[in-house]
Amino acid sequence: MESIPRPKGLPIIGTKLDLIKGGLGTKLHEFIDARHRHLGNIFIENFGTTDLIFVSDADLIRTLFISLEGKYPSHILPDPWLLYEKLYGQKRGLLFMDGEEWLQNRRIMNKLLLREGAESCIKNSVAQTIQTFIQTCAEKSENEIIFKDIASNLYKLSTEVLIQVLIGNTDPLKGNHYDELLQIFTESVKKIFQTTTKLYGLPITWCQRLNLKVWRDFKEAVDVSLLLGNKLVNEMLALKRSEDGLMSKMIKENMNDQTISRIVVDFIIAAGDTTAYTSLWILYLLSRNTQEINAIRINGQTYIPFVIKEAMRLYPVAPFLTRILPQDGILGQYNVKKAKRHLSLESVVKWQQETYMSISNSTLVNFMQDGLLQIHEVSGLNWWCTIVSSTILIRACMTLPLTVYQNYILAKVENIGLELKDLVNELKKETSIARKVYSLNDKQTVLLYKRSLKKQWRQLIERDNCHPLKATLVIWFQIPLWVCMSFAIRNLVNMHPPHPSAMVTFMELSTGGFGWIPNLIEPDHSFILPVAFGLTNLAIIEIQRMSKLREPSRVYNIFTNVFRGFSIVMIPIAANVPSCLCLYWVTSSAFGLIQNLCLLSPSLRRKLRIPLAPSELENPYTPIIASIYTSGREQKYFSEPESFLPYRWDRHDERKKGLSNHVSYASLPFALGARSCVGRKIAMVQMTELIWQVVDSFDLVCLNGDSITPITSQALIPNKKIEIHFKKRV
């Protein structure tokens, strides 16, 4: 089969410059839309360390949601949300659940919210809350209201609606400072999505470790939202609820209080953002298309669902819907391969030396010392340049090929590990049969199993000629090389061995520096080189650490912290050695860092014949992104795709005959399949009731003109506050 189209990019940095020029996160929907126009309805692009497949073809999107997502559909969550959950142990709701836990709770929520006739159970609660909202708006002014930021009002309304649905037809929650706390809650929920967008494209782990303001703002918003959300849930659990309330029904399904709290809090947070902004886009479009307001008044509430569908086609609150395939599959004419993850290997190891003089006088050190002198004499370069160029030359000729070979061996070993896993089940069955046939006891059975497993492993290693010890060759060459080169430079500074020419070299070193280090014999008193040395080594360690998506083992964390500490300790040591030696250390570490970064490139690894291995996988899935924004605006699916034409959804409207294209499933704002939006019926009831009561009570005029454009902020939101003039109908 053909390869999925991929945009051309630069080595190492790929297409990141294109994304920066495209406006980064806030214009991501337009950036991906432009990619589809150029590359077609399916393409693949690398974002960060992940290859993402984008699909805008309506039939392929349906195939994705219906046939390919598997029993436990999984999706991509924003990195800040995942890091927060990991750091603070906050168990979250359906959005964060996976596997059997998700399936069991989702089945219960489907039964309560998506069954036939579920709307009738929530309609009274929704209508009551919205009526109160409309009355409050009407009381603010006798004739007219100008909302400078109607989004905040809609956020609060969405939260109140969902709370009322949860408690049923009973008195709304009230108490001391209830309104103020609810306002704080809704503002903090809004801030979660705003700060998540600001963190897009940034190294989240670094933002958290450095405690940057953008991370602090995000953490504060989540802290407040979860605190107040759990407080709301606790009050609802303690309240004498109506039997028709969603929470009472959840309790009847034998859900425990902890699970209810997790699901409800996330439900409120998600509804606050998605329903509020969808309602905002609808009101914006109606305020600029008064003929559609008249159509609602003439046709009644039956026309409003068409208005909602058309608004969500143009401005889907989630412009991208993600799914992660549980296995390799076929999407259209393309094979969808497993997702790639780029892993670097740390190759710089420091070695403590107790036998200083024996090493200084060793043959290898003398050979390197003579080589440095020879290069300096032949090239005519200053000593600082001689040291830098010699270091690069030696590492390029010796350690680089060995590092590539190390990656090659490790990749093969990892692939064998996967193959061995497939053999384990067969081996267990054979051992079980042997136990029965030969009447083995537990100890004998375990011993037989271990021997058989070891034999299988040895056979696989021999077959692929990839013994793990071969991967250590780079260490056995690099450590002696680094130590011997360091001692060779030390010998030059110490004029060892004593010889008249050693004095000449010493004098040349004292005048062969550069910039702020004219004398290479003296330490770098500015601390620039020592600090650069420490930071470079830390960068190598952190690249290794941050590339691991699975939780590292305790031993790995211990060694990582030891190397971090060693890198810091080496800074004062480097500040007290001759700057020529520190220059060598910095150059060597910088080469190692660049070497690791280069080996992040999958294409380079393939050119070097390094096999694709599990360590390159971000997870055993393939992330697929359904570009709902693009598919909803495709001419081949919708005639006049940029126009707001609600009647296109009414099969009985005569005007629809003038539209040649209408593929309804090309617009899937609530997604499709097992992990589609569980609250979609609540959202539709709420928006229908809201639009009806607003249109029935007010005339709307947008005060922004044509200056509103959508931006990506997790949800698709306006680029500025929408101002709408509500004027009471006479």
Side-chain angles (χ1 to χ4, degrees):
M1 287 192 176
E2 303 176 35
S3 298
I4 298 177
R6 181 190 291 271
K8 294 181 179 178
L10 298 173
I12 307 299
I13 64 173
T15 60
K16 292 182 178 61
L17 290 179
D18 292 343
L19 183 59
I20 292 171
K21 287 190 293 183
L24 290 174
T26 59
K27 293 293 183 181
L28 188 60
H29 60 290
E30 293 183 2
F31 176 79
I32 298 302
D33 184 56
R35 282 281 198 251
H36 279 300
R37 309 291 177 195
H38 176 63
L39 297 171
N41 55 32
I42 181 170
F43 71 91
I44 186 169
E45 184 159 0
N46 184 271
F47 285 79
T49 60
T50 308
D51 272 346
L52 301 177
I53 298 174
F54 291 86
V55 181
S56 65
D57 183 273
D59 292 312
L60 293 184
I61 291 174
R62 279 173 61 86
T63 300
L64 171 66
F65 289 137
I66 295 175
S67 305
L68 298 180
E69 63 181 13
K71 183 180 180 181
Y72 306 113
S74 185
H75 54 186
I76 299 173
L77 289 170
D79 289 338
W81 299 8
L82 296 175
L83 181 58
Y84 183 95
E85 184 184 33
K86 175 183 173 183
L87 290 174
Y88 305 108
Q90 291 281 353
K91 293 294 184 181
R92 304 291 294 276
L94 282 174
L95 195 66
F96 292 79
M97 292 179 183
D98 284 307
E100 196 62 32
E101 180 189 31
W102 168 81
L103 185 60
Q104 291 178 2
N105 289 294
R106 176 67 194 227
R107 282 173 174 168
I108 294 173
M109 299 308 293
N110 284 353
K111 175 182 175 182
L112 300 179
L113 292 176
L114 298 180
R115 73 181 191 278
E116 190 70 29
E119 302 93 328
S120 59
C121 298
I122 62 177
K123 191 167 185 179
N124 289 338
S125 297
V126 174
Q128 174 187 338
T129 309
I130 292 176
Q131 187 176 7
T132 303
F133 170 75
I134 296 296
Q135 289 174 352
T136 303
C137 292
E139 290 169 2
K140 289 183 179 180
S141 175
E142 292 184 2
N143 297 314
E144 59 185 13
I145 314 163
I146 295 179
F147 285 100
K148 295 290 186 181
D149 181 16
I150 194 171
S152 296
N153 298 83
L154 294 174
Y155 251 93
K156 186 179 177 184
L157 174 63
S158 293
T159 304
E160 290 175 334
V161 165
L162 197 49
I163 290 173
Q164 197 64 48
V165 169
L166 287 161
I167 63 177
N169 293 320
T170 188
D171 292 336
L173 285 176
K174 291 296 176 185
N176 294 332
H177 309 294
Y178 173 78
D179 288 336
E180 291 85 348
L181 289 175
L182 190 60
Q183 185 65 38
I184 294 172
F185 174 73
T186 54
E187 288 300 321
S188 63
V189 169
K190 190 159 72 168
K191 192 175 179 181
I192 290 176
F193 293 91
Q194 292 171 345
T195 51
T196 300
T197 302
K198 291 180 181 178
L199 284 165
Y200 179 83
L202 298 178
I204 305 301
T205 307
W206 279 100
C207 292
Q208 181 269 326
R209 288 176 181 170
L210 297 175
N211 201 26
L212 299 182
K213 185 177 185 301
V214 65
W215 170 260
R216 295 200 306 271
D217 290 344
F218 169 78
K219 180 182 178 299
E220 180 186 3
V222 180
D223 287 343
V224 173
S225 298
L226 293 180
L227 176 66
L228 295 181
N230 282 298
K231 180 175 172 28
L232 283 170
V233 172
N234 291 334
E235 289 183 10
M236 286 187 279
L237 287 170
L239 185 71
K240 187 177 180 181
R241 300 170 303 277
S242 170
E243 290 297 316
D244 63 346
L246 178 59
M247 189 169 285
S248 295
K249 295 176 181 178
M250 293 171 73
I251 293 172
K252 287 181 180 178
E253 294 293 333
N254 296 319
M255 277 190 173
N256 58 52
D257 288 356
Q258 184 183 12
T259 303
I260 291 174
S261 181
R262 289 171 58 187
I263 291 175
V264 168
V265 170
D266 267 11
F267 204 25
I268 295 173
I269 290 174
D273 188 73
T274 54
T275 310
Y277 276 116
T278 302
S279 301
L280 179 63
W281 283 118
I282 295 169
L283 291 175
Y284 167 70
L285 288 167
L286 289 176
S287 66
R288 300 184 70 246
N289 295 270
T290 55
Q291 74 277 8
E292 298 303 332
I293 294 178
N294 293 329
I296 293 173
R297 290 170 181 165
I298 293 170
N299 297 292
Q301 291 195 33
T302 57
Y303 189 74
I304 295 178
F306 307 141
V307 173
I308 295 173
K309 289 180 181 180
E310 182 69 351
M312 296 183 82
R313 178 188 70 82
L314 288 169
Y315 300 107
V317 68
F320 306 105
L321 301 173
T322 67
R323 286 294 182 270
I324 303 175
L325 300 191
Q327 58 188 5
D328 292 351
I330 297 176
L331 199 60
Q333 71 268 38
Y334 302 110
N335 276 324
V336 178
K337 299 297 183 181
K338 290 184 178 180
K340 296 178 181 178
R341 173 195 182 181
H342 317 309
L343 178 67
S344 65
L345 296 173
E346 182 184 0
S347 60
V348 180
V349 183
K350 305 298 185 291
W351 185 263
Q352 288 284 341
Q353 186 52 250
E354 297 177 355
T355 55
Y356 181 84
M357 289 308 298
S358 61
I359 296 179
S360 294
N361 294 321
S362 67
T363 303
L364 187 55
V365 170
N366 289 332
F367 175 78
M368 289 190 171
Q369 186 175 342
D370 292 340
L372 282 171
L373 292 168
Q374 188 70 21
I375 291 173
H376 174 67
E377 183 178 345
V378 172
S379 66
L381 298 171
N382 289 336
W383 265 109
W384 75 268
C385 196
T386 300
I387 292 171
V388 171
S389 57
S390 300
T391 304
I392 294 173
L393 179 64
I394 292 172
R395 291 212 53 166
C397 293
M398 296 186 66
T399 63
L400 179 57
L402 289 173
T403 303
V404 173
Y405 183 68
Q406 180 189 50
N407 278 261
Y408 173 81
I409 294 296
L410 290 177
K412 279 198 166 188
V413 170
E414 290 181 48
N415 288 329
I416 286 176
L418 283 184
E419 191 173 343
L420 187 66
K421 285 182 180 179
D422 295 333
L423 295 174
V424 164
N425 291 331
E426 296 180 15
L427 199 58
K428 286 180 179 178
K429 292 177 183 177
E430 291 176 2
T431 306
S432 179
I433 294 171
R435 177 174 181 167
K436 293 178 181 178
V437 172
Y438 299 105
S439 301
L440 303 177
N441 57 33
D442 290 344
K443 186 176 181 181
Q444 290 172 326
T445 303
V446 171
L447 185 62
L448 175 63
Y449 173 75
K450 288 183 176 179
R451 284 180 177 174
S452 301
L453 187 65
K454 187 176 180 180
K455 181 180 178 181
Q456 290 289 346
W457 174 255
R458 187 168 57 250
Q459 288 176 348
L460 291 172
I461 290 291
E462 291 174 355
R463 185 197 69 189
D464 286 5
N465 190 23
C466 60
H467 197 286
L469 284 178
K470 291 183 178 182
T472 65
L473 279 175
V474 65
I475 298 175
W476 298 116
F477 272 84
Q478 187 165 295
I479 292 176
L481 177 66
W482 187 85
V483 172
C484 291
M485 189 71 171
S486 297
F487 274 89
I489 295 174
R490 271 277 195 187
N491 286 349
L492 295 177
V493 174
N494 294 336
M495 294 181 287
H496 180 81
H499 192 273
S501 61
M503 176 63 75
V504 175
T505 301
F506 180 86
M507 297 301 296
E508 289 176 343
L509 284 169
S510 63
T511 58
F514 64 95
W516 69 95
I517 314 174
N519 187 350
L520 295 177
I521 304 298
E522 295 290 326
D524 181 6
H525 299 294
S526 70
F527 286 91
I528 294 176
L529 285 180
V531 171
F533 175 56
L535 292 178
T536 304
N537 287 331
L538 280 174
I540 295 174
I541 294 169
E542 294 307 320
I543 289 173
Q544 170 83 9
R545 174 65 177 80
M546 292 171 66
S547 66
K548 289 188 174 292
L549 293 184
R550 294 182 178 87
E551 185 67 26
S553 66
R554 185 169 177 270
V555 174
Y556 179 87
N557 285 331
I558 291 172
F559 274 101
T560 299
N561 290 328
V562 168
F563 283 123
R564 286 170 178 159
F566 188 66
S567 298
I568 299 299
V569 169
M570 283 299 294
I571 293 177
I573 294 175
N576 287 281
V577 302
S579 53
C580 56
L581 180 57
C582 189
L583 178 64
Y584 163 65
W585 289 352
V586 171
T587 307
S588 181
S589 293
F591 187 94
L593 178 61
I594 294 171
Q595 172 182 279
N596 287 334
L597 289 174
C598 289
L599 288 175
L600 292 176
S601 170
S603 58
L604 178 60
R605 292 172 71 88
R606 300 297 86 79
K607 288 177 182 177
L608 294 173
R609 297 184 179 180
I610 298 173
L612 181 65
S615 63
E616 284 190 70
L617 300 180
E618 182 168 287
N619 45 47
Y621 308 102
T622 300
I624 311 287
I625 314 295
S627 304
I628 302 301
Y629 178 85
T630 296
S631 64
R633 290 173 176 253
E634 287 275 14
Q635 177 72 41
K636 65 180 178 180
Y637 300 136
F638 299 101
S639 300
E640 301 181 43
E642 302 298 325
S643 300
F644 179 60
L645 305 174
Y647 65 80
R648 73 168 81 237
W649 299 91
D650 184 359
R651 67 182 66 180
H652 303 298
D653 197 305
E654 291 296 322
R655 292 173 293 177
K656 188 175 179 180
K657 295 179 180 179
L659 303 175
S660 56
N661 297 329
H662 182 77
V663 181
S664 59
Y665 59 81
S667 176
L668 295 172
F670 293 116
L672 197 64
R675 200 146 195 164
S676 59
C677 178
V678 72
R680 59 181 177 268
K681 287 197 174 184
I682 295 178
M684 286 298 293
V685 171
Q686 176 185 328
M687 290 187 289
T688 300
E689 188 65 34
L690 174 65
I691 299 308
W692 173 246
Q693 292 200 31
V694 167
V695 168
D696 189 50
S697 303
F698 302 98
D699 289 319
L700 309 179
V701 177
C702 180
L703 303 179
N704 298 94
D706 297 326
S707 59
I708 299 295
T709 57
I711 61 174
T712 306
S713 177
Q714 300 309 306
L716 200 65
I717 68 172
N719 64 329
K720 61 178 67 175
K721 293 179 179 179
I722 290 180
E723 299 180 14
I724 298 181
H725 180 196
F726 280 44
K727 186 176 180 180
K728 284 186 181 179
R729 295 181 65 197
V730 179

